[in-house]
Amino acid sequence: MSNESNNKSTTEADINSLAYAQNFDRNDPLRAMREQFSIPKQADGTDEYYFTGNSLGLQPKLARAAVIELLDSWQARGVKGHFEGDFPWLPYHEFLTEQAAEIVGALPKEVVMMNSLTANLHFMMASFYQPTEQRSKILIEDHAFPSDHYAVESQLKHHNKSVDDNLLLWTPRADEALLNYQDLWQLIEQHGDEIALILLPGVQYYTGQVLDMQRITEVAHARGIKVGFDLAHAAGNIELSLHQWQVDFACWCSYKYLNSGAGSVAGCFVHQRHVENTELNRLAGWWGHDKTSRFKMENTFKAIPSAEGWQLSNPPVLSLAAVRGSFDTIKLAGGMPALRKKSLLLTHYMITLINQELGEKIHIITPQDPAERGCQLSLMINVPGLDGKAMFTALENKGVTTDWREPNVIRVAPAPLYNSFEDVYHFVRILKECI
Ligand SMILES: *Cc1c(COP(=O)(O)O)cnc(C)c1O
């Protein structure tokens, strides 16, 4: 190892050396960001190799501080905390709007942090799935996250629409893992006039495939179809321009690449052209009502003409405090362009090492074209007799935290905020040992 550390060369030939990885880390403008996070420890006290930021992001120190500050404010102020202090609770969600908008490429009036992801999908469908006799179908992908699938099926049933007749599935071709656009265009071509809504992921959770949200929105809008995206695996991972792409609505959670803690408050985007339409059907609550008259406690609902008009309840400030600390951490790093820049290098480094060191033994199902992937790589173990699940457990025993998905995929997501190139080097070394 000391030998390797002295070797500063960064040629292709010795890419598989600790020195190469360490050199990358030295030149990484985000290297100091790791200090902003608490990294779980192995039994011997050293840092885990944590590659599960796609499932649950690590704890930003600023999130911890913001939650404690909130607890202290509650302790000291009681109900007066709604109005007092640097971050009063009554408008607490507003402190997050600008940064949330930046993360997803939206105008501030188009976003709000509220509820949970699946709840927001339902609230958005209450507004954007209004089936008619002629247009009643919803198109999703065949391998949609189960919660999304359940939400869509239950919306159909809620409107007394048969699931068999109204649920269209975009399915990968036989023996292929990735979604093929030709098949989507064909579905839209064939059924366009009957489709009310297309709901797709920005990044597919199983394969890590990034979908072309702009093109999909264009093609769907040309046929009069509304388009929503689930950005659970996209927000905080890739750069987004929801406003410019004309997306109708989008929802995302904040506990994956946004590092705000399990079950924390989700995000919601409604395009400008819809937020001002206060007549749009919605499931309303008092926090979506006009702020100047909210406390007159009258019975006539007057929607706020922004995404806030979809809020139901007064903001869950404990969770929002964690989101605030997490957003401040992303801002400290220079925002999404800085994160994405490092992410592309970090994941490319992992792809190169896996291909070079493990060749045919590992099949990466994630697209290798940088435009079609984010942080995450989905790996299939391609060694006869070697069980993927056993492999996952072996990795865990060596301090590597990855994520196993049935039937046979290990997902690894080097997160640019806290993973280092050295982490990636050790991951591939340990993976090779395990195989
Ligand atoms: C993580 C994830 C969910 C989880 O939904 P919650 O409502 O936050 O529990 C839903 N959909 C997708 C695509 C996800 O990746």
Side-chain angles (χ1 to χ4, degrees):
M1 185 175 138
S2 56
N3 235 354
E4 283 175 342
S5 307
N6 293 333
N7 177 4
K8 297 254 168 61
S9 161
T10 54
T11 59
E12 273 296 313
D14 52 16
I15 178 170
N16 182 33
S17 71
L18 184 59
Y20 189 94
Q22 288 171 335
N23 192 49
F24 248 135
D25 282 328
R26 266 193 300 276
N27 292 313
D28 168 17
L30 296 190
R31 68 186 173 282
M33 291 308 297
R34 184 177 171 96
E35 297 300 315
Q36 292 289 328
F37 287 82
S38 299
I39 315 281
K41 303 286 182 214
Q42 304 186 53
D44 67 1
T46 58
D47 288 352
E48 252 180 38
Y49 304 111
Y50 192 85
F51 289 103
T52 333
N54 59 329
S55 179
L56 187 84
L58 289 180
Q59 185 184 100
K61 292 177 180 167
L62 291 178
R64 185 183 183 83
V67 171
I68 290 171
E69 183 185 315
L70 197 293
L71 283 169
D72 288 345
S73 171
W74 178 21
Q75 185 177 51
R77 298 190 171 99
V79 71
K80 291 185 190 129
H82 279 306
F83 313 103
E84 293 179 356
D86 293 339
F87 296 97
W89 313 330
L90 194 132
Y92 202 97
H93 60 282
E94 294 174 21
F95 304 128
L96 305 171
T97 301
E98 202 171 301
Q99 293 188 60
E102 259 179 47
I103 289 168
V104 298
L107 307 176
K109 66 157 69 157
E110 294 174 317
V111 300
V112 60
M113 299 302 294
M114 63 178 188
N115 308 320
S116 63
L117 168 52
T118 308
N120 285 341
L121 287 174
H122 276 295
F123 291 121
M124 288 296 102
M125 283 192 274
S127 293
F128 296 103
Y129 177 59
Q130 299 278 335
T132 61
E133 209 41 54
Q134 158 70 16
R135 223 183 247 285
S136 59
K137 295 190 160 87
I138 304 182
L139 188 155
I140 61 173
E141 46 126 359
D142 180 45
H143 206 320
F145 197 89
S147 197
D148 301 43
H149 193 110
Y150 305 152
V152 164
E153 275 206 16
S154 62
Q155 282 282 333
L156 291 171
K157 290 177 188 162
H158 176 68
H159 287 281
N160 294 315
K161 296 290 174 194
S162 131
V163 172
D164 286 347
D165 296 342
N166 290 287
L167 186 62
L168 286 174
L169 297 176
W170 177 21
T171 308
R173 298 177 182 182
D175 298 324
E176 288 183 16
L178 302 178
L179 292 159
N180 185 314
Y181 289 104
Q182 293 317 315
D183 303 335
L184 177 63
W185 308 146
Q186 202 177 348
L187 279 167
I188 295 176
E189 174 73 32
Q190 205 177 338
H191 302 280
D193 298 339
E194 299 153 21
I195 302 174
L197 174 67
I198 293 179
L199 179 65
L200 289 170
V203 178
Q204 213 284 342
Y205 81 97
Y206 186 77
T207 62
Q209 180 180 17
V210 172
L211 294 183
D212 186 343
M213 290 168 262
Q214 180 172 20
R215 180 101 180 92
I216 291 170
T217 306
E218 257 170 40
V219 171
H221 281 176
R223 295 297 298 272
I225 303 166
K226 294 277 190 301
V227 184
F229 287 101
D230 182 327
L231 303 177
H233 284 263
N237 179 6
I238 60 172
E239 290 187 82
L240 299 160
S241 303
L242 298 182
H243 173 76
Q244 194 201 325
W245 297 339
Q246 302 288 328
V247 169
D248 292 290
F249 71 87
C251 309
W252 59 96
C253 55
S254 67
Y255 49 82
K256 291 172 180 165
Y257 295 102
L258 294 177
N259 312 309
S260 301
S264 190
V265 182
C268 190
F269 164 92
V270 183
H271 198 274
Q272 181 179 29
R273 65 184 179 280
H274 301 304
V275 297
E276 283 155 12
N277 176 8
T278 53
E279 298 304 306
L280 205 55
N281 184 66
R282 73 187 76 200
L283 297 177
W286 74 317
W287 230 254
H289 183 90
D290 170 47
K291 292 176 202 180
T292 61
S293 60
R294 181 186 289 146
F295 290 97
K296 290 187 179 152
M297 310 305 246
E298 288 167 350
N299 285 342
T300 310
F301 178 74
K302 187 178 167 202
I304 301 170
S306 77
E308 288 185 21
W310 274 264
Q311 291 176 113
L312 302 185
S313 302
N314 73 96
V317 290
L318 277 169
S319 271
L320 286 177
V323 178
R324 185 166 70 79
S326 157
F327 283 3
D328 285 349
T329 308
I330 291 175
K331 193 173 184 178
L332 203 60
M336 285 312 301
L339 261 57
R340 177 63 169 159
K341 195 167 170 205
K342 175 174 172 186
S343 168
L344 285 169
L345 289 172
L346 199 58
T347 300
H348 176 74
Y349 177 54
M350 187 182 264
I351 293 173
T352 311
L353 270 188
I354 290 174
N355 286 342
Q356 182 178 309
E357 294 301 303
L358 291 151
E360 296 292 297
K361 293 185 183 133
I362 296 284
H363 174 49
I364 303 175
I365 61 177
T366 308
Q368 299 196 15
D369 172 2
E372 288 194 82
R373 63 166 170 82
C375 300
Q376 177 189 322
L377 295 179
S378 302
L379 312 179
M380 271 164 84
I381 314 288
N382 203 9
V383 181
L386 220 172
D387 168 38
K389 184 73 189 282
M391 189 69 198
F392 163 77
T393 310
L395 285 169
E396 203 166 55
N397 292 337
K398 291 181 185 266
V400 180
T401 306
T402 61
D403 167 286
W404 167 257
R405 283 291 130 150
E406 296 290 344
N408 60 347
V409 160
I410 292 176
R411 301 186 305 173
V412 276
L417 277 171
Y418 47 80
N419 281 121
S420 62
F421 289 85
E422 193 171 330
D423 281 344
V424 171
Y425 165 82
H426 287 297
F427 168 72
V428 179
R429 176 182 62 77
I430 294 170
L431 183 65
K432 197 174 170 185
E433 274 173 33
C434 289
I435 286 180

mmCIF file of all heavy atoms in Angstrom, residues 117-118 145 147-148 230 232-233 253 255-256, ligand 1:
data_model
loop_
_atom_site.group_PDB
_atom_site.id
_atom_site.type_symbol
_atom_site.label_atom_id
_atom_site.label_comp_id
_atom_site.label_asym_id
_atom_site.label_seq_id
_atom_site.Cartn_x
_atom_site.Cartn_y
_atom_site.Cartn_z
ATOM 1 N N LEU A 117 -44.267 11.283 -0.566
ATOM 2 C CA LEU A 117 -44.257 11.115 -2.019
ATOM 3 C C LEU A 117 -45.558 10.492 -2.541
ATOM 4 O O LEU A 117 -46.202 11.029 -3.446
ATOM 5 C CB LEU A 117 -43.043 10.264 -2.416
ATOM 6 C CG LEU A 117 -42.991 9.740 -3.853
ATOM 7 C CD1 LEU A 117 -43.177 10.825 -4.879
ATOM 8 C CD2 LEU A 117 -41.671 9.024 -4.085
ATOM 9 N N THR A 118 -45.941 9.343 -1.989
ATOM 10 C CA THR A 118 -47.118 8.667 -2.535
ATOM 11 C C THR A 118 -48.373 9.513 -2.313
ATOM 12 O O THR A 118 -49.252 9.575 -3.183
ATOM 13 C CB THR A 118 -47.282 7.270 -1.919
ATOM 14 O OG1 THR A 118 -46.040 6.556 -2.046
ATOM 15 C CG2 THR A 118 -48.377 6.478 -2.619
ATOM 16 N N PHE A 145 -42.274 1.531 -9.512
ATOM 17 C CA PHE A 145 -42.178 1.292 -8.072
ATOM 18 C C PHE A 145 -43.571 0.875 -7.579
ATOM 19 O O PHE A 145 -44.566 1.494 -7.950
ATOM 20 C CB PHE A 145 -41.733 2.580 -7.391
ATOM 21 C CG PHE A 145 -41.200 2.391 -6.002
ATOM 22 C CD1 PHE A 145 -39.861 2.137 -5.781
ATOM 23 C CD2 PHE A 145 -42.055 2.476 -4.910
ATOM 24 C CE1 PHE A 145 -39.373 1.978 -4.492
ATOM 25 C CE2 PHE A 145 -41.573 2.311 -3.623
ATOM 26 C CZ PHE A 145 -40.218 2.061 -3.409
ATOM 27 N N SER A 147 -45.439 1.309 -5.077
ATOM 28 C CA SER A 147 -46.322 2.321 -4.515
ATOM 29 C C SER A 147 -46.981 3.148 -5.625
ATOM 30 O O SER A 147 -48.172 3.472 -5.558
ATOM 31 C CB SER A 147 -45.541 3.239 -3.572
ATOM 32 O OG SER A 147 -46.414 3.948 -2.738
ATOM 33 N N ASP A 148 -46.225 3.450 -6.659
ATOM 34 C CA ASP A 148 -46.758 4.228 -7.785
ATOM 35 C C ASP A 148 -47.823 3.414 -8.518
ATOM 36 O O ASP A 148 -48.860 3.933 -8.916
ATOM 37 C CB ASP A 148 -45.632 4.619 -8.760
ATOM 38 C CG ASP A 148 -44.552 5.451 -8.090
ATOM 39 O OD1 ASP A 148 -44.152 5.124 -6.962
ATOM 40 O OD2 ASP A 148 -44.093 6.428 -8.698
ATOM 41 N N ASP A 230 -42.354 10.950 -11.387
ATOM 42 C CA ASP A 230 -41.926 10.605 -10.037
ATOM 43 C C ASP A 230 -40.413 10.761 -10.014
ATOM 44 O O ASP A 230 -39.697 10.034 -10.707
ATOM 45 C CB ASP A 230 -42.338 9.167 -9.707
ATOM 46 C CG ASP A 230 -41.953 8.801 -8.280
ATOM 47 O OD1 ASP A 230 -40.912 9.307 -7.796
ATOM 48 O OD2 ASP A 230 -42.681 8.016 -7.654
ATOM 49 N N ALA A 232 -38.336 10.466 -7.394
ATOM 50 C CA ALA A 232 -37.720 9.916 -6.183
ATOM 51 C C ALA A 232 -36.218 9.667 -6.370
ATOM 52 O O ALA A 232 -35.420 9.984 -5.503
ATOM 53 C CB ALA A 232 -38.411 8.612 -5.787
ATOM 54 N N HIS A 233 -35.852 9.108 -7.536
ATOM 55 C CA HIS A 233 -34.445 8.782 -7.784
ATOM 56 C C HIS A 233 -33.750 9.824 -8.651
ATOM 57 O O HIS A 233 -32.596 9.624 -9.047
ATOM 58 C CB HIS A 233 -34.327 7.390 -8.418
ATOM 59 C CG HIS A 233 -34.525 6.297 -7.421
ATOM 60 N ND1 HIS A 233 -33.475 5.654 -6.802
ATOM 61 C CD2 HIS A 233 -35.655 5.785 -6.878
ATOM 62 C CE1 HIS A 233 -33.950 4.776 -5.953
ATOM 63 N NE2 HIS A 233 -35.273 4.821 -5.966
ATOM 64 N N CYS A 253 -39.405 12.343 -3.129
ATOM 65 C CA CYS A 253 -39.186 12.250 -1.689
ATOM 66 C C CYS A 253 -37.875 12.954 -1.357
ATOM 67 O O CYS A 253 -37.101 13.289 -2.248
ATOM 68 C CB CYS A 253 -39.162 10.798 -1.244
ATOM 69 S SG CYS A 253 -37.965 9.793 -2.141
ATOM 70 N N TYR A 255 -35.663 11.805 1.167
ATOM 71 C CA TYR A 255 -34.774 11.004 2.020
ATOM 72 C C TYR A 255 -33.759 10.190 1.237
ATOM 73 O O TYR A 255 -32.904 9.545 1.817
ATOM 74 C CB TYR A 255 -35.588 10.073 2.929
ATOM 75 C CG TYR A 255 -36.658 9.272 2.218
ATOM 76 C CD1 TYR A 255 -36.335 8.102 1.556
ATOM 77 C CD2 TYR A 255 -37.971 9.710 2.186
ATOM 78 C CE1 TYR A 255 -37.310 7.373 0.885
ATOM 79 C CE2 TYR A 255 -38.956 8.998 1.526
ATOM 80 C CZ TYR A 255 -38.617 7.831 0.869
ATOM 81 O OH TYR A 255 -39.587 7.134 0.207
ATOM 82 N N LYS A 256 -33.841 10.188 -0.109
ATOM 83 C CA LYS A 256 -32.859 9.449 -0.914
ATOM 84 C C LYS A 256 -31.661 10.368 -1.161
ATOM 85 O O LYS A 256 -30.910 10.630 -0.237
ATOM 86 C CB LYS A 256 -33.534 8.916 -2.172
ATOM 87 C CG LYS A 256 -34.548 7.812 -1.815
ATOM 88 C CD LYS A 256 -35.410 7.334 -2.954
ATOM 89 C CE LYS A 256 -36.354 6.235 -2.448
ATOM 90 N NZ LYS A 256 -37.458 5.950 -3.385
HETATM 91 C C1 LIG B 1 -38.719 5.540 -2.848
HETATM 92 C C2 LIG B 1 -39.864 5.561 -3.784
HETATM 93 C C3 LIG B 1 -41.189 5.633 -3.323
HETATM 94 C C4 LIG B 1 -41.513 5.621 -1.859
HETATM 95 O O1 LIG B 1 -42.720 6.279 -1.596
HETATM 96 P P1 LIG B 1 -43.022 6.949 -0.162
HETATM 97 O O2 LIG B 1 -44.363 7.497 -0.348
HETATM 98 O O3 LIG B 1 -41.949 7.970 0.085
HETATM 99 O O4 LIG B 1 -42.947 5.869 0.873
HETATM 100 C C5 LIG B 1 -42.203 5.720 -4.264
HETATM 101 N N1 LIG B 1 -41.928 5.712 -5.587
HETATM 102 C C6 LIG B 1 -40.671 5.629 -6.056
HETATM 103 C C7 LIG B 1 -40.415 5.631 -7.533
HETATM 104 C C8 LIG B 1 -39.601 5.523 -5.174
HETATM 105 O O5 LIG B 1 -38.358 5.408 -5.643
#
